[in-house]
Amino acid sequence: MRAEHGWTLETLAAKTGISRATLSRLERCELSPTATMLNKLCAQYGWTASRLMAEAETGPPTVVRAGEQISRKDPETGYIRRVLSPPHPNLKGELVEVWLPAGSVISYDVSPLPGLEHHLWMLEGVLTLDIDGTVFRLEKGDCVRYVLSGPSRFECGKKRAARYVISMVRP
């Protein structure tokens, strides 16, 4: 994707704040990116992380069996993100399941795609969600709808893991 945009490693490093050496290691699959790195890269390309993960697969199936769904564990925080939706280049919505370990915090400086609509439905645990300065405390069964335009922060309660599903709709 970097080459398709005509960007050098230096250009992408300047745009994302990720060092040239780290970007090079990521491209050679010598390093697994953190959630923060993925978000910064996706922001440059106007993609969500789940779309990026889905695009790495071959062909757009209409059904993705549970055992074939793409899952990724963040090496920095241990959170797990599983893409539930089959990839499709022309559709705007996707579902992602997230599991946050107890006490973990995930923060993003910017939305990967300005105007990205989220519907977050809590399945287990407690989550404190800060969307551009508005804070929500979510428990099992709660659902919140918001549009990402600025910073966001996901904080799991200290006693047990949180699990939720996010429906994302591109603008």
Side-chain angles (χ1 to χ4, degrees):
M1 290 172 58
R2 179 178 59 78
E4 287 174 9
H5 281 79
W7 296 339
T8 64
L9 281 171
E10 290 79 12
T11 302
L12 187 56
K15 289 177 175 290
T16 62
I18 301 170
S19 75
R20 182 194 179 287
T22 298
L23 289 169
S24 179
R25 290 183 66 204
L26 289 172
E27 288 184 2
R28 293 190 315 266
C29 298
E30 294 175 358
L31 179 68
S32 185
T34 65
T36 302
M37 285 180 199
L38 274 178
N39 194 60
K40 288 178 179 181
L41 290 167
C42 287
Q44 291 306 308
Y45 298 117
W47 285 20
T48 62
S50 51
R51 179 176 177 206
L52 180 66
M53 291 164 51
E55 288 292 325
E57 297 297 306
T58 59
T62 56
V63 173
V64 176
R65 305 288 177 211
E68 299 168 344
Q69 292 167 350
I70 302 165
S71 183
R72 182 183 178 284
K73 184 174 184 177
D74 183 62
E76 187 174 68
T77 61
Y79 99 90
I80 298 171
R81 177 185 187 105
R82 183 167 62 115
V83 180
L84 304 173
S85 300
H88 193 286
N90 299 320
L91 299 180
K92 293 185 175 192
E94 55 192 73
L95 284 176
V96 176
E97 179 185 33
V98 177
W99 180 85
L100 283 177
S104 63
V105 176
I106 307 293
S107 294
Y108 302 106
D109 295 333
V110 296
S111 171
L113 185 60
L116 184 65
E117 180 180 347
H118 277 194
H119 301 249
L120 188 153
W121 178 41
M122 289 297 297
L123 300 175
E124 298 174 20
V126 176
L127 181 73
T128 301
L129 176 64
D130 183 334
I131 302 298
D132 205 16
T134 301
V135 179
F136 303 92
R137 184 179 186 278
L138 305 169
E139 298 178 12
K140 182 179 179 177
D142 293 346
C143 186
V144 62
R145 177 183 191 165
Y146 54 92
V147 175
L148 285 176
S149 57
S152 58
R153 185 173 190 268
F154 300 73
E155 182 176 348
C156 183
K158 303 229 183 282
K159 293 183 180 180
R160 61 185 177 140
R163 188 170 67 97
Y164 53 90
V165 171
I166 295 181
S167 169
M168 293 182 276
V169 182
R170 293 189 312 270

